[in-house]
Amino acid sequence: ILPFVSVNQILLLLLVLTVCAILYNKVHQVPSALKNETVDLESPEEMEEEIPVVICAAAGRMGAAVAAISSIYSNTEANVLFYIVGLKTTIPHIRKWIENSKLKEIKFKVVEFNPMVLKGKIRQDASRPELLQPLNFVRFYLPLLIQKHEKVIYLDDDIIVQGDIQELYNTKLAPGHAAAFSDDCDLPSTHEMVRSVGMQNTYMGFLDYRKQAIRDLGISPSTCSFNPGVIVANMTEWKHQRITKQLEKWMQRNVEENLYSSTLGGGVATSPMLIVFHGKYSTINPMWHVRHLGWSPDTRYSEHFLQEAKLLHWNGRYKPWDYPSVHTDLWESWFIPDPSGKFKLTRPDS
């Protein structure tokens, strides 16, 4: 009898264990599924790609950066991370502006730019001192400011974006190219404005061809220039080709030899880029950089053309937050007033 009882006890024990195992699986099934979902969501294939956008916030023109950010954020569903670059003295102001306005929902990092990196590299020029501001050279140092991204968009502050920034980010860069720019001869609609206000759109307008160092480059003075106010950059290629070092070399040579100056067309930030990237850049869709809106207080584009544009750039002296300027209504629709009241628009009735 004893052995028979032992067999029953063993069978009963196995039955209990089986029931326990089934109950255990039932109880733990939901957390297990959730765990798997979490892993899937965090995998690189499923994550929405982050689009890094670099914009400078300079003293006296922070409203420009705010309007630019506002226009980008309002016109995309993409996962944008704004890198807002400023000097130590201006950072608290821009941070407060964002955190106390409807922009508080954006993803952003505030990055301090140390102007000491420019020491001895900028030739003083009295004709347009605003072009010598340290933040004009932030675009030279993108890999030092942005660490974890392969592809980066840099935008001047005097722009607004009317399209989806994802389109600009999707710009294809050819193998071996560290950046894409807008070619200054790319858009027939702008040619008339270029002629009417006497703008330069060739290398002759930026470099001093009387200097031997410029002639030695072997670049024809009639070569079409490009505008570095909108850049799509590949950080791996930028670092591999030591672009920043090359740009600094030409800045240093300009200090010593005065190879270009702000009395020419584009000032001191464009010229080194024209030299370093000559023949080695990809192009941006022309409608993603409709520019020259700040070159004249009188010359205007057609409203239809401006509505089609994906990005508008008020490069030149006449800015849309000042007076006089053209097409200010397009810019002002994205402007967010300064909660501190420090930044004010200049208008004829103000």
Side-chain angles (χ1 to χ4, degrees):
I1 295 173
L2 284 175
F4 179 73
V5 173
S6 298
V7 170
N8 280 343
Q9 286 175 334
I10 291 167
L11 288 173
L12 183 61
L13 181 61
L14 288 171
L15 181 62
V16 169
L17 289 172
T18 303
V19 171
C20 288
I22 292 168
L23 289 172
Y24 179 86
N25 283 336
K26 287 281 186 189
V27 170
H28 287 81
Q29 190 173 5
V30 174
S32 176
L34 284 175
K35 186 179 178 184
N36 287 337
E37 281 180 19
T38 305
V39 170
D40 288 342
L41 285 171
E42 291 178 350
S43 69
E45 292 77 18
E46 296 294 326
M47 275 186 70
E48 188 182 10
E49 189 171 13
E50 202 167 56
I51 298 178
V53 176
V54 179
I55 293 181
C56 295
R61 47 193 290 162
M62 280 189 201
V66 166
I69 292 167
S70 170
S71 69
I72 295 164
Y73 180 65
S74 301
N75 286 309
T76 188
E77 295 294 323
N79 180 21
V80 180
L81 173 60
F82 293 97
Y83 284 84
I84 302 168
V85 186
L87 302 180
K88 191 173 185 178
T89 52
T90 61
I91 282 174
H93 186 186
I94 192 68
R95 186 186 290 279
K96 189 175 180 183
W97 196 331
I98 290 168
E99 291 174 350
N100 289 280
S101 72
K102 65 182 182 183
L103 290 181
K104 60 180 177 287
E105 298 173 356
I106 70 169
K107 284 171 61 178
F108 74 101
K109 291 182 179 179
V110 176
V111 181
E112 181 184 340
F113 183 68
N114 185 352
M116 289 305 293
V117 300
L118 301 172
K119 190 173 182 182
K121 300 185 184 77
I122 300 177
R123 184 184 185 88
Q124 293 306 308
D125 195 319
S127 62
R128 289 193 67 187
E130 75 275 13
L131 296 177
L132 303 178
Q133 295 301 317
L135 295 181
N136 275 336
F137 301 92
V138 161
R139 70 198 92 190
F140 290 15
Y141 296 94
L142 292 175
L144 302 181
L145 300 167
I146 313 299
Q147 302 295 334
K148 64 174 185 171
H149 301 282
E150 168 76 6
K151 199 175 186 183
V152 172
I153 294 173
Y154 167 87
L155 299 174
D156 276 353
D157 60 358
D158 51 354
I159 63 103
I160 61 160
V161 171
Q162 300 186 135
D164 185 342
I165 199 74
Q166 181 78 54
E167 286 181 35
L168 181 60
Y169 186 75
N170 290 344
T171 299
K172 293 279 189 288
L173 273 68
H177 286 177
F181 305 99
S182 290
D183 197 298
D184 280 332
C185 305
D186 63 4
L187 204 56
S189 305
T190 67
H191 292 175
E192 185 179 339
M193 181 176 281
V194 169
R195 285 193 298 271
S196 67
V197 298
M199 279 184 291
Q200 294 287 349
N201 63 356
T202 65
Y203 273 57
M204 174 70 88
F206 296 85
L207 306 177
D208 187 348
Y209 275 83
R210 295 170 300 180
K211 302 293 169 68
Q212 189 62 43
I214 297 301
R215 293 199 299 272
D216 287 347
L217 291 168
I219 302 172
S220 167
S222 62
T223 301
C224 196
S225 53
F226 59 80
N227 186 299
V230 177
I231 307 172
V232 181
N234 179 309
M235 293 294 93
T236 302
E237 279 296 336
W238 193 293
K239 287 182 275 194
H240 175 69
Q241 296 179 33
R242 297 167 63 83
I243 297 291
T244 297
K245 287 290 181 192
Q246 291 188 60
L247 292 166
E248 287 185 325
K249 181 189 87 170
W250 284 103
M251 291 169 78
Q252 193 73 53
R253 287 197 68 174
N254 184 55
V255 170
E256 296 160 4
E257 303 173 51
N258 195 21
L259 303 176
Y260 49 84
S261 83
S262 57
T263 55
L264 294 170
V268 291
T270 298
S271 302
M273 299 196 90
L274 291 177
I275 296 170
V276 170
F277 283 101
H278 174 252
K280 294 187 293 186
Y281 66 92
S282 299
T283 54
I284 289 169
N285 179 334
M287 297 308 284
W288 267 101
H289 195 177
V290 172
R291 47 206 179 277
H292 313 319
L293 277 76
W295 270 89
S296 166
D298 306 308
T299 310
R300 302 173 68 91
Y301 287 116
S302 76
E303 292 304 318
H304 174 72
F305 175 63
L306 292 179
Q307 285 168 10
E308 296 291 312
K310 305 285 189 177
L311 182 149
L312 303 176
H313 187 185
W314 279 261
N315 58 314
R317 294 174 186 265
Y318 302 98
K319 303 301 185 187
W321 54 91
D322 279 335
Y323 181 83
S325 181
V326 294
H327 305 298
T328 53
D329 54 324
L330 291 172
W331 180 88
E332 204 169 324
S333 63
W334 301 110
F335 174 68
I336 299 170
D338 182 0
S340 73
K342 293 176 188 173
F343 182 94
K344 292 183 172 66
L345 301 182
T346 304
R347 295 294 180 253
D349 54 354
S350 62

